[in-house]
Amino acid sequence: MSKHDVAVVGIGQTKFRSKRRDVNIPEMVYEAVKMALDDAQLEPKEIDAIIIGNMDHFEGINFSELFCGIEGAPGYLKPVVKVATGGTTGSSLAICGYHNVASGIYNKVLVVGWEKLNEGGATTGIITAFDPVWERPSLAGALGPLALMAGMYSAKYGITSEQAAKVTVKNRSNAANNPFAHLQMPNITIDYVMSSQMISYPLRLHDVCPQSEGACALIYANEEETKKITDNPAWFHVVETAHYYTFGTDEAMFDLPTATIASKKAYKKAGIKNPVKDLDVAEIYEPTSWSELSWTEALGFCKPGEGGKLLDEGITLMSGEFPVNPSGGVLSTNPIGATALVRVAEAAIQVMGRGEKRQVPDVEKALAMGFGGSLWSEVLILGKEPLR
Amino acid sequence: MDKVGIVGCTQTKYEADKIDQTYSELVFEVVKKLHNELGITNDDIGCVITSSNDFNDGRTIANMAIQDAVGSIGKAESRVSGDGAFAYIYGAMRILSESYDTVMVVSHCKCSEVNQYLVNNTIFDPYYQRHLGLDQISSAGLMANMYMNKYGVTEDQAAKVVIKNRKNALNNPYAHLQKEITIDEVLNSKMLAYPLKELDFPPFSDGAVAMLLAKEDVAKKMTDTPVWLKGYGSCTDAYYLGHRNMTDLIGLELAAKEAYKMANIKDPVKEIDVCEVSENFSIHELMIYEALGLCAPGKGGEFIEGGETEMNGSIPVNPSGGVLSSNPIMANGLIRVAEIALQLKGKADKRQIPNAKIGLAYGMNGICSQGNCVLIFGGE
């Protein structure tokens, strides 16, 4: 499949919060980096290269990797590169790190994603991602398109607000088991979600992810180095990306075709026939409650239109056959440049069996998914053993 | 190392203000040209790596706007936020990892969209340095002054870099500034940041560059003149200017050493036939000679005076005219790679160095060579 097998051998996450006034950006990045280095029991000098992910417009720092890679991570006199693809930044970063090691160019790399949104403004930034003439006056930012998608999805398949609210209830109560999660709401109810403020029909306040500050760092190694570092790594089986039209509205927006394209390719390469049976857990990037239902369809966990039913039957609950987002997902924690990397980190944690209260029993294979851009998807599968 | 080959590359003409084209259209122009030149379709491209910068484009997720132009609908695209040389190496890694047979690498920059001095000010940290008003001009002035002071390099010697590169640009149909200039014009141009004057700096340009990479057997099928990656080194210097040794480009020196080691190069002047480097100001090119080991530290001035880096010198540097002639900032590194590819393919027309077999491309990120990427290529 690839020239070298690549494993996650060290993981670090900050506690995610709405504001981290106690630290500046490099200090926040350093927290996650230090945890990952300690986890892998590596010295900074043992890292060959650093891959950083951050949406530099959101904090207003150009070449933020040259700042944080040196001041918050051990990048001095090492290769430092930044990958930035919007919401998918974290997964694009995870995939870039994979190719750095799989190619044989580097043996051990540090992958870091972060965002500190109170130092800037995410929406101000995201609006400029859209075409200044055609899109910006009508459909810019994150919320508008996501509301449109939720509305079209619900109209096509008859998904109800109550079914969507159940996603928030599931994920935010899962988050109570995750010490790093931002919004931990063990006692949240469907009524509470459904009576929250309407933001953009049909999305209410609690149908939508928060904005969080924090960083996530992973260390990858090749076969030989992995053996030296740990006897409990999480191996990458496959990494896949599917992008889409510049104008997301060039196609109907009731579903997410890129997740279908990327996951089908990934399942084929990883020998997955039935994802719900062959995989044990998924960490997916659901920016809204409605999108988790829709994405579970697009990823082939159920048939189109049956995302609501999948959750109604309890399959994606912690106690279900195929738990989705044991960490609490994006509805609980959303540090944009790190969000999709947290999915990969949490999938690795599940494979390693280190999820403590959020651990799904006997995980052999886990899926992580990133979402962003103009309806882009990235799918990564990790396993206890290398694929070959 | 397995082989990664450059199959072909295309460029736009670089100009000050391509007001008739959006940056997506610039990208489409080079992608379409690449398809036509190589006789391929979008189906022949495994995945796409782009390089751009949200600040330079004035757009967040700047690669979102070019998805249609690069043809990555339902296909994998990823974006290095930074110089094009780093996108090249990420593209090469995707082939070396045996994940893709072909990768298209594209870089663009439309400097005319945004005030580039303000953009460069945002490279400095928001807590301590940014409000001092530092940008690429003032920081280059600091570096040039310290360097000249330490080594006794003169303004005349620096001006020779500008003369050389502008003269070379006359042979490059894509170059932005195509007008020969005299040493007096350089020395008498407006002082911007002592000791650097207006003509010691490059223009701002709009443009794009595209390239197709392929694994060995595929590359050989697609072209008679593939250009192979022989060496790569990357190294990042300190962030704060005050933490750096401003008189020597340490990051570049270490990146070059690594690349030479991989390419088994002992004596760069003898073994390398041509260099394309990202020189952001006249003195910078002299410092680059030294860091690349083409001459001893402090001897960059004498090196250019001896004519060593002229078109007919022992190691021509920037036959294309370099950044001092064309400066679509984020694309500079990938243009360097493309120009070396043309040299090694023997397709550089009037700027061709005879019998060029080994070439070096240098791309950089940030202020005063903070992030460095050195690539060595070989023909045959």
Side-chain angles (χ1 to χ4, degrees), chain A residues 198-243:
Chain A
M198 184 63 76
I199 304 282
S200 179
Y201 182 83
L203 303 179
R204 292 177 183 276
L205 179 66
H206 291 297
D207 286 316
V208 180
C209 60
Q211 77 177 28
S212 318
E213 295 195 344
C216 177
L218 297 179
I219 294 171
Y220 295 178
N222 63 10
E223 312 90 339
E224 202 178 318
E225 296 294 328
T226 297
K227 269 183 219 151
K228 291 184 211 157
I229 297 167
T230 177
D231 50 14
N232 186 23
W235 297 94
F236 283 100
H237 284 192
V238 59
V239 299
E240 280 296 336
T241 303
H243 278 194

Side-chain angles (χ1 to χ4, degrees), chain B residues 136-360:
Chain B
Q136 74 273 39
I137 301 285
S138 50
S139 49
L142 290 171
M143 180 171 248
N145 199 7
M146 290 177 77
Y147 168 78
M148 288 168 74
N149 216 2
K150 178 169 173 185
Y151 292 121
V153 171
T154 66
E155 290 181 50
D156 273 42
Q157 289 170 326
K160 289 212 161 64
V161 174
V162 187
I163 311 292
K164 166 179 76 72
N165 288 358
R166 289 288 202 90
K167 195 172 146 198
N168 289 352
L170 294 172
N171 293 326
N172 177 4
Y174 305 114
H176 174 181
L177 298 179
Q178 289 184 302
K179 182 173 167 281
E180 207 166 343
I181 50 171
T182 65
I183 198 148
D184 285 343
E185 283 176 90
V186 179
L187 293 174
N188 296 327
S189 63
K190 190 177 149 199
M191 183 63 73
L192 292 186
Y194 181 81
L196 298 175
K197 298 156 287 288
E198 195 174 358
L199 292 178
D200 285 310
F201 287 101
F204 290 118
S205 321
D206 293 351
V209 49
M211 187 176 289
L212 187 72
L213 313 183
K215 66 173 188 173
E216 186 172 3
D217 51 338
V218 177
K220 280 181 177 161
K221 266 186 219 148
M222 295 179 92
T223 175
D224 298 333
T225 53
V227 171
W228 308 110
L229 175 66
K230 299 274 187 193
Y232 153 69
S234 175
C235 182
T236 316
D237 208 336
Y239 175 65
Y240 290 104
L241 296 181
H243 291 175
R244 278 199 235 169
N245 173 351
M246 293 282 277
T247 57
D248 305 273
L249 305 175
I250 305 290
L252 174 57
E253 192 185 317
L254 291 174
K257 275 189 181 149
E258 218 177 288
Y260 292 157
K261 196 174 150 197
M262 193 187 278
N264 200 19
I265 285 178
K266 305 272 185 310
D267 181 346
V269 176
K270 278 212 183 101
E271 295 173 59
I272 296 172
D273 301 310
V274 54
C275 296
E276 280 282 344
V277 304
S278 296
E279 84 295 9
N280 284 5
F281 49 97
S282 56
I283 288 279
H284 193 208
E285 184 169 308
L286 303 180
M287 298 177 77
I288 291 169
Y289 298 162
E290 297 168 20
L292 291 178
L294 308 185
C295 63
K299 300 294 180 196
E302 289 170 33
F303 201 61
I304 189 154
E305 271 190 329
E308 307 291 346
T309 57
E310 300 281 345
M311 284 299 280
N312 57 1
S314 57
I315 179 155
V317 175
N318 285 336
S320 69
V323 175
L324 283 167
S325 305
S326 313
N327 181 30
I329 306 174
M330 284 307 126
N332 285 338
L334 198 61
I335 294 170
R336 305 279 79 73
V337 177
E339 284 291 330
I340 289 297
L342 290 174
Q343 290 287 351
L344 301 184
K345 280 170 174 287
K347 290 181 181 166
D349 298 327
K350 285 206 287 183
R351 60 194 185 286
Q352 180 69 47
I353 304 299
N355 297 319
K357 297 271 188 294
I358 300 284
L360 177 149

Side-chain angles (χ1 to χ4, degrees), chain A residues 1-3 24-26 55-63 65-67 70-71 75-87 92 95-96 98-100 102-103 105-106 119 125-126 128-132 135-136 239-247 250 261 265 269 373-374 376 378, chain B residues 1-2 53-56 58-61 63-69 72-83 86 89-90 92-94 96-100 119-120 122-128 130 232 234-240 243 250-251 254 258 262 330 365-367 370-371:
Chain A
M1 296 294 293
S2 70
K3 195 162 173 205
N24 67 19
I25 290 170
M55 290 311 295
D56 42 10
H57 262 178
F58 296 177
E59 288 84 8
I61 303 173
N62 195 3
F63 287 109
E65 79 281 17
L66 295 178
F67 178 27
I70 302 295
E71 302 299 320
Y76 180 54
L77 301 185
K78 289 191 168 89
V80 177
V81 68
K82 183 169 83 227
V83 174
T85 61
S92 300
I95 291 172
C96 182
Y98 168 83
H99 289 291
N100 269 262
S103 61
I105 297 276
Y106 297 117
E119 306 213 357
I126 293 173
T128 70
F130 293 80
D131 187 276
E135 283 178 311
R136 223 172 278 177
V239 299
E240 280 296 336
T241 303
H243 278 194
Y244 208 47
Y245 301 95
T246 290
F247 298 95
D250 278 2
I261 295 167
K265 279 187 195 165
K269 284 187 189 169
S374 47
W376 302 341
E378 304 202 294
Chain B
M1 189 169 70
D2 292 349
N53 177 306
D54 292 357
F55 279 81
N56 292 101
R59 294 274 296 265
T60 290
I61 329 179
N63 55 327
M64 206 165 112
I66 59 171
Q67 295 304 303
D68 296 349
S72 53
I73 315 305
K75 191 180 274 192
E77 185 261 2
S78 198
R79 193 266 298 246
V80 169
S81 172
D83 180 76
F86 294 85
I89 195 67
Y90 185 15
M93 282 173 182
R94 285 196 168 201
L96 291 171
S97 72
E98 297 173 3
S99 305
Y100 295 94
V119 163
N120 276 279
T122 59
I123 298 176
F124 293 88
D125 85 86
Y127 311 117
Y128 306 110
R130 194 180 294 176
Y232 153 69
S234 175
C235 182
T236 316
D237 208 336
Y239 175 65
Y240 290 104
H243 291 175
I250 305 290
L254 291 174
E258 218 177 288
M262 193 187 278
M330 284 307 126
N365 270 332
I367 293 287
Q370 195 198 342

